[in-house]
Amino acid sequence: MQRQTTADFHPEVLRLFDRYVHGLIDRRGFLEGAGKYAAVGTTAVGLLEALSPKYAEAQQIAKDDKRIKAEYAEYQSPQGHGKMRGYLVRPANAKGRLPGIVVVHENRGLNPHTEDVARRAALENFVAFAPDALTPLGGYPGTDEAGVEMQRKLEQPKIQEDFLAAVNWLRAHQETTGRVGIVGFCFGGGISNAMAVRVPELGAAVPFYGGQPRAED
């Protein structure tokens, strides 16, 4: 099957999908809007399926890659949601302590793509930690669609505290040098920006777009 590109979709469908994945409209809102642009032989549901990411096809580093050591780890976030969980990955044959990177997902929880990014970071000789903001609700539910709905239910200030706690947890981890950076995507980009002004010791913050800190900060 030929891979589709953005040129295969009406611009309004792409705009609706962008609003949908960023939580500005729900599934029904997308389907009602996109249905007007469905060509003969397609449906709004088909458009949504075609635009949704295929994580298995995009994976770069397998979960069982022998070059990495990966596990799920818990940490405490007393100012946030309490006990939290994340995906901890480091090189399998690391010699001594390494710098760390906190990897922050989009507005849908710790999905397979974000875990893959953490594995990529580990292969660049970092201890990578990818927290799951959805931990209080049972963790990433298996689909981005459900994840977006779940993350909407959480208090945003507490989510930020959860990631602040993750940064400090990784800084204090016995396998890191204490030098830690952060990278995030969309929602995670906003978290990265927030940590840049909240953590003076932060080594680097790399946002792939996202909300900006307040000017006074």
Side-chain angles (χ1 to χ4, degrees):
M1 177 182 289
Q2 184 176 359
R3 186 179 298 275
Q4 291 178 295
T5 70
T6 55
D8 297 311
F9 301 93
H10 191 284
E12 181 61 20
V13 172
L14 297 177
R15 188 186 73 84
L16 287 165
F17 185 71
D18 181 70
R19 289 174 58 81
Y20 170 66
V21 298
H22 289 94
L24 301 177
I25 59 174
D26 59 14
R27 176 185 172 89
R28 175 176 293 181
F30 173 84
L31 296 178
E32 289 178 350
K36 305 172 186 176
Y37 303 94
V40 176
T42 63
T43 64
V45 173
L47 290 172
L48 180 58
E49 173 63 23
L51 286 166
S52 297
K54 309 295 189 294
Y55 292 125
E57 296 176 12
Q59 177 179 268
Q60 294 187 20
I61 310 298
K63 282 190 171 184
D64 59 354
D65 193 298
K66 300 303 182 183
R67 296 172 295 171
I68 59 171
K69 179 181 178 182
E71 63 182 311
Y72 293 95
E74 294 181 342
Y75 68 99
Q76 294 297 325
S77 175
Q79 303 303 315
H81 289 97
K83 182 184 289 187
M84 298 295 295
R85 185 172 183 261
Y87 185 58
L88 181 66
V89 197
R90 55 275 213 202
N93 299 315
K95 304 298 183 183
R97 298 186 178 190
L98 299 173
I101 295 180
V102 175
V103 181
V104 188
H105 56 69
E106 299 168 277
N107 64 333
R108 60 211 63 180
L110 182 58
N111 62 21
H113 169 68
T114 307
E115 292 189 347
D116 189 48
V117 172
R119 292 193 291 272
R120 297 179 214 171
L123 287 183
E124 296 297 331
N125 222 33
F126 291 94
V127 176
F129 186 55
D132 189 354
L134 300 184
T135 299
L137 301 177
Y140 178 69
T143 69
D144 284 7
E145 184 175 17
V148 169
E149 294 301 319
M150 289 173 64
Q151 192 157 322
R152 284 176 175 171
K153 299 176 182 178
L154 295 171
E155 298 178 44
Q156 295 303 308
K158 283 192 174 183
I159 292 180
Q160 188 175 128
E161 294 300 324
D162 293 334
F163 283 101
L164 175 62
V167 170
N168 290 329
W169 179 84
L170 191 59
R171 288 179 57 224
H173 196 279
Q174 62 181 5
E175 294 187 43
T176 73
T177 61
R179 189 68 166 170
V180 168
I182 188 168
V183 60
F185 306 86
C186 193
F187 158 81
I191 292 294
S192 297
N193 285 329
M195 295 303 104
V197 299
R198 292 196 63 182
V199 185
E201 302 86 1
L202 196 68
V206 183
F208 284 85
Y209 64 95
Q212 299 298 307
R214 297 180 305 174
E216 56 267 32
D217 293 335

